[in-house]
Amino acid sequence: MELRQVRCFVAVAEELHFRRAAERLAMAQAALSHQVRLLEEEMGCALLFRTTRQVSLTAAGIAFLAEGRRLLEQAEQVLRVTRAAAGAGGSLRIGGIDQALVAVLPPVLARLHAETPELRITLTEGSSSEQEADLVRHRIDLAFLRPPVSDDGLACTRLFDEPFVAAVPEGLAAEAGSLPSWSWLAGQPLIGYPRHSRPLLHDLTMRQFAARGCRPQPVQEVTEKLTMLQLVGQGIGIALVPRWLARFAMPGVAFRPLPEAAALLSFGMAWRRGDPSPALAAVRDAVLWHRPAA
């Protein structure tokens, strides 16, 4: 039995709704259902009644819910006690790409601040290649970047993958439809990424069009994604951006999923192998605890 399975069951049991529970845990509904079924198989009994209209707890599910909550609380306590014993105070220098600083780290840092207020963390933003170089040169202690890393002295853990979405001007949202075709996207002016400064994003964008036999119409290249979305909002063109940006409302911008299995972007964290820092271990543990179950 794994903690992620318990976490999934408790979310469903409290929400009594698989979609809401999946949204709460920031994971796919199918993956959530799979984790609950694995738990039921290991327990040897059904924990939930499922119909097309509702979800309810079996007698075993009611009993397990109380114990599952207690188990999750105990796991949290284990982390707190271990960090305290290891002296998880001190300082840590963290580097991150924009996604890390805006969408991934804030809840992690809030939890760390509440549990270990003596831990001092400094944050810097940089590209994946810049962070890898900073790790090697001991300028930062932990990096949040796009895997993989190339230096053998670094360890790297992939945390999750996410797709691209299309950012289109609101004036074209109806024309684009709920799932714009690649031919429609290729027929629009494209705001893209310069290859010299954003090689991964540039190549993935171009590759997605080429794989469908389409040729995009570049009209502008920009390095920063916020600038890109501002230009989309002004009606200058469309853009393909990582899905995390769709969380934020941008004036004049509509987000649409991409058809067919679009390319995925990996997100992970890296550090120097053998680094004994308790603060580093504490932050890594907190990040893994918040990672969505896959």
Side-chain angles (χ1 to χ4, degrees):
M1 179 172 57
E2 298 181 4
L3 282 176
R4 70 168 57 189
Q5 295 169 353
V6 177
R7 213 161 50 236
C8 289
F9 169 76
V10 169
V12 175
E14 291 178 347
E15 299 289 343
L16 293 179
H17 198 284
F18 275 88
R19 179 180 57 78
R20 288 197 298 268
E23 291 174 351
R24 168 173 153 183
L25 296 177
M27 64 185 294
Q29 185 173 329
L32 172 70
S33 180
H34 178 65
Q35 293 295 326
V36 173
R37 288 194 181 279
L38 288 177
L39 178 62
E40 288 178 317
E41 289 175 6
E42 185 163 350
M43 297 299 296
C45 61
L47 301 176
L48 299 169
F49 289 118
R50 303 164 175 84
T51 71
T52 55
R53 296 192 174 184
Q54 68 178 17
V55 177
S56 58
L57 294 170
T58 65
I62 293 172
F64 189 85
L65 176 59
E67 296 305 318
R69 285 171 171 156
R70 188 173 296 114
L71 181 61
L72 294 178
E73 290 171 359
Q74 289 172 343
E76 290 266 11
Q77 178 65 12
V78 168
L79 287 176
R80 286 193 292 267
V81 171
T82 303
R83 288 182 193 133
S91 62
L92 196 73
R93 301 162 299 172
I94 297 177
I97 58 176
D98 50 3
Q99 178 180 10
L101 302 186
V102 174
V104 176
L105 283 174
V108 175
L109 296 180
R111 173 180 170 175
L112 286 168
H113 179 72
E115 295 182 358
T116 55
E118 69 277 12
L119 175 59
R120 298 184 304 279
I121 293 177
T122 57
L123 299 173
T124 58
E125 183 175 349
S127 68
S128 294
S129 58
E130 290 170 341
Q131 290 180 74
E132 183 171 346
D134 285 345
L135 275 174
V136 172
R137 295 169 185 164
H138 289 248
R139 291 176 178 171
I140 60 175
D141 306 301
L142 183 63
F144 291 88
L145 40 64
R146 302 286 181 203
V149 294
S150 58
D151 192 287
D152 292 338
L154 302 180
C156 185
T157 294
R158 184 184 62 79
L159 297 172
F160 57 82
D161 297 323
E162 66 171 344
F164 283 89
V165 296
V168 304
E170 277 189 347
L172 295 177
E175 182 182 327
S178 60
L179 189 67
S181 67
W182 285 103
S183 58
W184 184 88
L185 292 167
Q188 308 303 314
L190 175 70
I191 304 167
Y193 307 90
R195 198 175 195 290
H196 65 86
S197 60
R198 292 286 187 265
L200 175 64
L201 294 174
H202 174 276
D203 291 350
L204 283 175
T205 298
M206 294 298 107
R207 243 181 261 146
Q208 291 186 88
F209 283 104
R212 280 86 184 178
C214 299
R215 194 171 194 174
Q217 301 181 36
V219 66
Q220 181 75 52
E221 288 187 339
V222 294
T223 300
E224 300 303 324
K225 300 181 189 72
L226 182 59
T227 304
M228 179 177 283
L229 293 180
Q230 294 285 355
L231 295 179
V232 172
Q234 293 299 316
I236 292 175
I238 67 160
L240 304 190
V241 299
R243 187 174 61 185
W244 69 270
L245 286 162
R247 300 184 191 180
F248 307 100
M250 298 292 296
V253 179
F255 294 98
R256 294 290 186 268
L258 291 173
E260 305 170 19
L264 294 175
L265 281 168
S266 294
F267 181 89
M269 61 179 173
W271 61 94
R272 288 181 297 278
R273 294 185 186 276
D275 189 330
S277 166
L280 174 62
V283 174
R284 289 206 319 260
D285 287 346
V287 171
L288 291 172
W289 179 264
H290 280 271
R291 175 174 59 178

